[in-house]
Amino acid sequence: MKTMDELELVTLDDAAAAVHKTAHNIRDYIQRGRIAKYDAQGNRVSRAPNGGLRVSLVELRAFMARMAQGNAQHHRAGFHLELGFYDVPEWQRTKHVHRLHPYLGKFIPQLVEWFLARYFKAGDVILDPFMGSGTTLVQGNELKMATIGLDISEFNCRIARVKTRKYDLEHARREILETERCVMGFSQQLARGADAEVQALAASLVAECHSEYLKTWFAPRALYEMLYYRRLIPQHEYQDLLRVVLSRAVRSSRLIPHYDLATPKAPLPVGQEYWCRKHARMCRPIEECAVKIHAYSEDTARRLEQFDQLRSDEPVTIIQGDSRTVNLRGELESTPLAGRAIDGIFTSPPYVGQIDYHDQHIYAYELFGIARNDPLEIGPKRRGKSRQAQADYVADISSVFRNMLPALRADAKIFVVANDRFNLYPEIARRSGLQIVEEFHRAVTKRTEQGNDPYQETIFMMVKQCP
Ligand SMILES: C[S@@+](CC[C@H](N)C(=O)[O-])C[C@H]1O[C@@H](n2cnc3c(N)ncnc32)[C@H](O)[C@@H]1O
């Protein structure tokens, strides 16, 4: 073990000054586990007392050297250095409403911002036919552009609507905190050892639950709390906002290892100890939901307020449907965008065989009884990456572009973010009547900082082919 002197322990501010970064950057490196936390006595800690947090300059410099090496490697590999967003800390990557709900496969807002700001102007109309959680819509709105999002998954549409709608902020805050207060009260009653009345209430909640998934993946107390919250939602105006708060809490309340929130395999038994890679100690799966509701309630209200300071009044239109077949012009007829030509697309389609987009939010579909459209998902994980899956993918993505193009201006610019490891996009462009005019190769930053081989995404810039 290194001594305190060998570690060169310093405060965050001193560390930041020493390597010409900000204290936010240093916190970000800690959060991502790139450098360790110490207390003032040189002990490695998971939490340091107020004002007592130290980091090791030796570790920090070693990490910075690895990162510089990674950047140089990326530069040699032809990656666009500005598009690596190497220095954008976690809190900016997940700024304001972008962190209202987790979503596997979303792109970082800075990437969208970079392209929209360079290739479009305020007042333009931007379409994302694979909207996901709505990153393009939020960033387009910030840049005073009208936005349209399409997605096959109803829950994704709800997340995007919750992020982009305009709120009476005081009222929204009141509804979130009032619902939280009621659930916390119920949770305390449960903790005290339920009397007959509370037991009857818990039994009536479970009687309303017809989902085997919910009964299997949550401890009884977590289940009571989430069902109690769900019962309160219809009393409020901003119901989907409350559903998003609850869903985020529910996702973190499953009986799963703390490190495995994104792709859990199976529920653990209640109380079962396991070695937790995230916390580097033995942990037990969570048994409550109220604690997460508490963590996310104030956070949600604050994030809505932050976005409200930045947002514009440009229209945001969200359409749930299959982008291959949806009648876009028809859908827009009853909106402020009726008859307007679309200036461009910024989108990241699903990649072949990577993610099952409905399944990643199974807990929300089960809890809110939302209808699923899994069979209409393009390129889902469950269909794999075989040659047949790739051929289907090419046909499906091409149908989407062919369906969208009539609504686009003749000189529209189309940006598609893809990890095109099977080199399918030249054929997709050809079949869609598009021409690839430029390719931007981007390294995916988090891996860079680990010093791994570059992992890349391509942003294809395309235009309509002349008839
Ligand atoms: C890579 S994600 C987009 C993520 C988004 N860029 C973000 O930041 O949240 C791809 C999206 O395509 C949607 N999708 C898949 N098949 C679709 C289809 N046939 N029509 C419309 N959307 C579809 C999925 O539901 C998923 O949300």
Side-chain angles (χ1 to χ4, degrees):
M1 223 168 80
K2 285 201 167 83
T3 65
M4 256 175 82
D5 280 349
E6 284 168 338
L7 285 167
E8 291 186 51
L9 293 182
V10 290
T11 62
L12 290 198
D13 285 336
D14 288 346
V19 296
H20 308 294
K21 293 278 173 187
T22 65
H24 274 307
N25 291 134
I26 309 296
R27 273 191 197 288
D28 190 47
Y29 303 151
I30 296 174
Q31 228 176 34
R32 294 197 213 160
R34 308 298 193 257
I35 55 173
K37 279 186 196 171
Y38 293 91
D39 64 13
Q41 288 70 45
N43 304 306
R44 256 187 101 137
V45 289
S46 53
R47 191 168 293 171
N50 240 351
L53 176 61
R54 300 288 182 272
V55 294
S56 157
L57 262 187
V58 175
E59 286 177 11
L60 180 60
R61 288 201 183 105
F63 165 62
M64 301 294 295
R66 283 203 307 280
M67 195 157 65
Q69 243 175 20
N71 289 355
Q73 189 186 2
H74 283 172
H75 193 53
R76 282 196 301 279
F79 291 132
H80 194 300
L81 274 188
E82 269 184 50
L83 296 179
F85 303 105
Y86 302 112
D87 278 341
V88 180
E90 183 69 9
W91 69 272
Q92 277 180 13
R93 290 166 180 266
T94 56
K95 61 185 176 172
H96 52 72
V97 290
H98 294 297
R99 184 158 264 176
L100 281 197
H101 197 284
Y103 180 96
L104 196 60
K106 70 177 148 199
F107 41 38
I108 66 167
Q110 286 73 20
L111 179 68
V112 186
E113 231 168 12
W114 197 94
F115 281 95
L116 292 189
R118 271 167 188 75
Y119 291 95
F120 300 97
K121 58 183 189 313
D124 279 357
V125 183
I126 307 297
L127 165 69
D128 185 345
F130 299 104
M131 170 192 67
S133 60
T135 313
T136 300
L137 278 56
V138 171
Q139 288 315 122
N141 178 275
E142 260 192 32
L143 292 166
K144 301 188 175 58
M145 295 166 191
T147 51
I148 305 162
L150 284 161
D151 205 281
I152 193 63
S153 143
E154 171 59 25
F155 187 64
N156 294 351
C157 293
R158 292 197 195 192
I159 297 178
R161 281 194 199 102
V162 164
K163 285 180 176 178
T164 52
R165 81 172 275 181
K166 247 183 131 38
Y167 293 91
D168 170 342
L169 289 169
E170 258 180 50
H171 186 50
R173 174 175 275 275
R174 215 175 310 120
E175 290 201 334
I176 294 171
L177 298 187
E178 172 62 19
T179 313
E180 177 203 347
R181 196 181 56 75
C182 292
V183 175
M184 295 311 283
F186 175 57
S187 172
Q188 280 158 12
Q189 287 179 320
L190 288 171
R192 277 199 294 273
D195 57 27
E197 203 181 324
V198 176
Q199 269 177 12
L201 176 54
S204 75
L205 289 166
V206 174
E208 283 169 12
C209 173
H210 307 295
S211 161
E212 272 317 302
Y213 175 90
L214 296 180
K215 289 179 187 164
T216 317
W217 283 73
F218 296 89
R221 180 161 165 196
L223 186 64
Y224 300 145
E225 291 167 351
M226 70 179 75
L227 294 172
Y228 187 69
Y229 192 115
R230 182 178 76 172
R231 196 184 264 185
L232 299 175
I233 291 176
Q235 301 169 12
H236 295 281
E237 181 184 348
Y238 294 131
Q239 297 186 11
D240 273 342
L241 172 59
L242 297 178
R243 287 190 187 98
V244 163
V245 175
L246 176 57
S247 172
R248 185 177 170 199
V250 163
R251 179 180 183 272
S252 308
S253 308
R254 289 169 293 174
L255 286 165
I256 54 176
H258 297 145
Y259 55 79
D260 204 12
L261 282 171
T263 50
K265 318 288 172 295
L268 295 169
V270 176
Q272 159 119 22
E273 287 209 328
Y274 64 92
W275 174 251
C276 181
R277 294 204 300 266
K278 181 171 173 192
H279 299 115
R281 56 178 153 81
M282 296 302 286
C283 283
R284 286 166 202 245
I286 191 164
E287 292 180 28
E288 291 174 62
C289 184
V291 64
K292 296 293 177 187
I293 289 167
H294 175 64
Y296 300 147
S297 292
E298 165 68 29
D299 181 73
T300 301
R302 190 171 42 82
R303 286 174 183 279
L304 295 182
E305 288 154 8
Q306 287 168 343
F307 180 50
D308 195 70
Q309 297 286 311
L310 302 169
R311 64 165 306 141
S312 67
D313 288 328
E314 288 298 321
V316 179
T317 304
I318 293 169
I319 302 162
Q320 190 272 320
D322 184 340
S323 294
R324 289 167 294 192
T325 52
V326 72
N327 174 0
L328 182 57
R329 280 208 174 117
E331 293 282 346
L332 292 176
E333 245 159 42
S334 57
T335 76
L337 298 178
R340 293 263 309 265
I342 294 168
D343 297 282
I345 289 183
F346 194 90
T347 195
S348 66
Y351 306 150
V352 192
Q354 299 261 78
I355 297 174
D356 289 320
Y357 282 95
H358 284 79
D359 234 36
Q360 68 159 307
H361 298 132
I362 179 171
Y363 48 88
Y365 285 95
E366 293 285 323
L367 186 59
F368 303 124
I370 303 172
R372 294 174 61 147
N373 285 305
D374 303 56
L376 297 177
E377 261 181 39
I378 295 174
K381 185 173 179 183
R382 64 187 170 277
R383 283 203 220 125
K385 299 177 180 172
S386 63
R387 279 188 183 281
Q388 184 56 51
Q390 292 175 34
D392 292 345
Y393 180 84
V394 169
D396 286 336
I397 300 284
S398 311
S399 323
V400 172
F401 287 123
R402 280 202 305 275
N403 189 28
M404 298 294 125
L405 290 195
L408 266 67
R409 283 165 49 138
D411 60 350
K413 298 175 208 83
I414 295 138
F415 293 91
V416 179
V417 183
N419 167 233
D420 192 19
R421 49 190 290 212
F422 302 120
N423 194 30
L424 305 177
Y425 274 83
E427 175 62 9
I428 289 172
R430 198 188 61 73
R431 288 204 206 175
S432 308
L434 291 168
Q435 186 189 342
I436 298 175
V437 288
E438 197 163 349
E439 289 182 28
F440 302 80
H441 298 285
R442 155 183 142 73
V444 177
T445 321
K446 288 190 181 181
R447 297 186 182 219
T448 317
E449 293 195 350
Q450 279 171 329
N452 288 348
D453 286 345
Y455 166 82
Q456 69 157 312
E457 273 173 356
T458 304
I459 297 96
F460 295 97
M461 179 178 171
M462 309 194 229
V463 293
K464 286 186 183 185
Q465 256 170 5
C466 297

